[in-house]
Amino acid sequence: MWYRLPIFAMFTALLAVMPANANEADEAWAEGQLAIAQQDYLRAQAYFETARNAGLRGPAVYYNIGVCQYKSGNYVAAGKTFQLIDDGYPQMRSLAQYNLGLVALKLARQEEAARHFRSSYYLSADNPKLRAMSSTQLRRLIGDARPSSPWLRTFSVRGGYDDNVTLQDEAALDPGASADSPFVEVFGTIGGPYTRRGGFRLDAGFFLLAYSDADEFNQAALHFGGLYDWRGSNWGAEVGAHAGTTMLGGDQFDRSARLSARLSRKLSATSSLEARYRYDDITAADSVFQSIEGSRQRVELRYRWYDDGRSFHLGVTNETNDRADPRVSPDRTRVQADYRYSPAVGWGFGVGAELRASDYSRLDPTRDEDLGRLHLTLTRNTLAGWQYFAQYSRADNDSSDPAFSYVRNQLSLGAFRFF
């Protein structure tokens, strides 16, 4: 295919850099061009090397030598030549990176090839043809590594250390004992079948969290249900129903039924806005936990932007709880922002922040809380589809009741994949 071959035409303009008074170089260059036209690449390479040795300098002569090496099957030598161009001629880096990607493909180094094509794409903003070729190569590589399926599956595992194991961040429970402990977390989801126009699909997932030094906080959760998804050219909508159950410390904690709805609007080719609503009806699985019984409602507005590996998301959520016990019935407002750079292959990073205000207005005396959370993530995406990550997060909760104020630090390493 045309996009799998080194590029010749782009170097026509570079002939102007040839020394006009170097007859030997001129003649060798002309003979080399003739040999290329006849697809005699070994002879062409010899002529181009003669021109170089006679004093011809500049990226054109090195590029043609590299092309001849590539076409003759000498991929290691071609890689060294294109690397020389990449190192010595900054204006030619985008093209050199593209051809380094072709060399890596020939040497069966797919991850390295994807990295070069990605670099070529970013460096060729002023060259639409080269950018399209780089994008095509990268899509082909990623497509080969991630076969399409109407079913989307995710799996993640991570382990790390938590210096303040409590359930106060998310769960509506009174403060109790806390501990520091290593932990292991596993979750997975499956949904589908997905179609271009939407339709009905199944949705299920599980979550496991185990602490080696605080097993009273071990958690497990399971949810399953169905969604109906409609997609137009700019608008989308979704409604769903789920059932779920949670275990805490080895005992069943609650059972829940959920209704949800989502409306989305595409603002541009790279941005969207969506509104979500979720209603949970929660029943305690044991009389010990009857204080949590009741309902929870969430309304969220979310803005998303994505452009070739870079993404930004901003969300505002309002949550109301109507539980049996006012101590576990906060009204909450949450603002979240997250920026990520996650190339298809290679290193990336993420940074996110959250502010959450909680109002326990039905308590006597009332209680107010302000939580701030920051997380930093370093990622490594592979051609096989795995993302490896290291993450640090810190939560700082300031409460009008000192018993609920805390600081929490968590450090983890893990892996994630779409299937």
Side-chain angles (χ1 to χ4, degrees):
M1 297 293 291
W2 63 271
Y3 53 79
R4 301 184 186 180
L5 300 177
I7 304 170
F8 295 94
M10 292 185 179
F11 277 85
T12 303
L14 293 177
L15 297 180
V17 303
M18 294 173 53
N21 59 345
N23 292 333
E24 183 181 359
D26 286 350
E27 292 174 2
W29 177 270
E31 290 294 334
Q33 293 290 336
L34 180 61
I36 278 186
Q38 297 170 348
Q39 299 185 3
D40 189 346
Y41 298 108
L42 288 175
R43 186 163 61 94
Q45 180 182 335
Y47 278 121
F48 290 132
E49 289 176 345
T50 298
R52 178 197 60 194
N53 296 337
L56 183 63
R57 291 292 182 266
V61 66
Y62 291 111
Y63 180 82
N64 280 278
I65 291 172
V67 167
C68 292
Q69 292 166 332
Y70 178 91
K71 298 294 290 184
S72 300
N74 193 351
Y75 303 122
V76 173
K80 292 179 180 179
T81 301
F82 291 131
Q83 188 62 57
L84 183 151
I85 297 171
D86 182 78
D87 294 338
Y89 302 94
Q91 73 275 23
M92 302 308 302
R93 284 201 65 207
S94 58
L95 188 58
Q97 284 290 318
Y98 179 83
N99 285 288
L100 284 167
L102 295 180
V103 169
L105 283 180
K106 290 295 186 181
L107 296 174
R109 301 171 182 170
Q110 291 185 307
E111 186 170 332
E112 180 183 331
R115 185 166 60 250
H116 287 305
F117 291 134
R118 174 67 63 181
S119 295
S120 178
Y121 180 89
Y122 284 130
L123 292 167
S124 58
D126 58 348
N127 191 327
K129 181 180 179 181
L130 183 56
R131 170 162 280 202
M133 293 167 64
S134 301
S135 179
T136 298
Q137 286 284 6
L138 191 59
R139 284 199 304 270
R140 184 175 64 84
L141 278 169
I142 301 304
D144 289 346
R146 303 179 188 177
S148 60
S149 169
W151 292 86
L152 177 63
R153 299 166 292 274
T154 67
F155 176 79
S156 177
V157 58
R158 69 177 180 127
Y161 181 79
D162 192 329
D163 74 354
N164 187 6
V165 181
T166 70
L167 297 178
Q168 299 175 68
D169 270 5
E170 295 296 337
L173 291 177
D174 284 338
S178 65
D180 57 329
S181 173
F183 69 91
V184 175
E185 176 188 283
V186 179
F187 83 82
T189 65
I190 183 171
Y194 282 85
T195 65
R196 179 172 295 182
R197 295 184 178 181
F200 179 79
R201 70 175 187 270
L202 299 176
D203 179 63
F206 72 92
F207 171 80
L208 300 172
L209 176 61
Y211 293 98
S212 61
D213 298 337
D215 57 5
E216 67 272 24
F217 293 112
N218 290 351
Q219 299 171 53
L222 174 69
H223 78 267
F224 56 91
L227 297 163
Y228 183 82
D229 183 16
W230 172 84
R231 302 175 195 173
S233 58
N234 291 312
W235 289 92
E238 179 184 278
V239 294
H242 291 77
T245 184
T246 304
M247 297 187 69
L248 177 63
D251 298 319
Q252 191 173 17
F253 179 59
D254 67 16
R255 294 184 294 270
S256 63
R258 178 194 308 167
L259 297 175
S260 62
R262 177 179 64 89
L263 181 66
S264 62
R265 165 69 176 175
K266 186 176 181 180
L267 301 178
S268 69
T270 59
S271 63
S272 66
L273 187 66
E274 65 180 42
R276 293 173 176 259
Y277 172 77
R278 172 174 158 180
Y279 176 87
D280 292 285
D281 184 76
I282 301 165
T283 304
D286 189 288
S287 59
V288 174
F289 305 120
Q290 62 183 359
S291 63
I292 68 168
E293 290 194 344
S295 63
R296 176 176 57 209
Q297 297 185 72
R298 289 177 178 169
V299 178
E300 180 180 7
L301 188 64
R302 182 181 300 178
Y303 169 79
R304 293 181 181 272
W305 172 85
Y306 177 86
D307 184 21
D308 197 31
R310 300 181 301 274
S311 65
F312 173 75
H313 123 262
L314 177 65
V316 180
T317 305
N318 181 260
E319 175 185 316
T320 59
N321 286 274
D322 185 11
R323 309 291 187 96
D325 192 328
R327 291 176 299 174
V328 293
S329 296
D331 293 331
R332 285 172 167 163
T333 300
R334 185 193 319 252
V335 179
Q336 294 173 285
D338 184 86
Y339 177 82
R340 298 180 186 179
Y341 169 65
S342 183
V345 175
W347 292 98
F349 69 91
V351 57
E354 172 189 343
L355 297 175
R356 188 188 73 187
S358 301
D359 178 15
Y360 293 80
S361 58
R362 290 191 289 162
L363 278 178
D364 186 15
T366 62
R367 186 172 84 240
D368 297 315
E369 294 181 7
D370 294 306
L371 179 140
R373 184 185 286 114
L374 173 70
H375 67 81
L376 304 171
T377 308
L378 180 67
T379 62
R380 169 71 176 177
N381 292 335
T382 69
L383 189 60
W386 283 98
Q387 179 184 90
Y388 301 100
F389 62 87
Q391 185 176 79
Y392 167 75
S393 66
R394 176 183 174 89
D396 190 341
N397 194 65
D398 182 22
S399 175
S400 58
D401 183 343
F404 288 85
S405 295
Y406 61 89
V407 175
R408 186 179 190 182
N409 294 279
Q410 192 179 88
L411 184 65
S412 62
L413 300 173
F416 173 84
R417 186 180 176 182
F418 285 104
F419 294 88

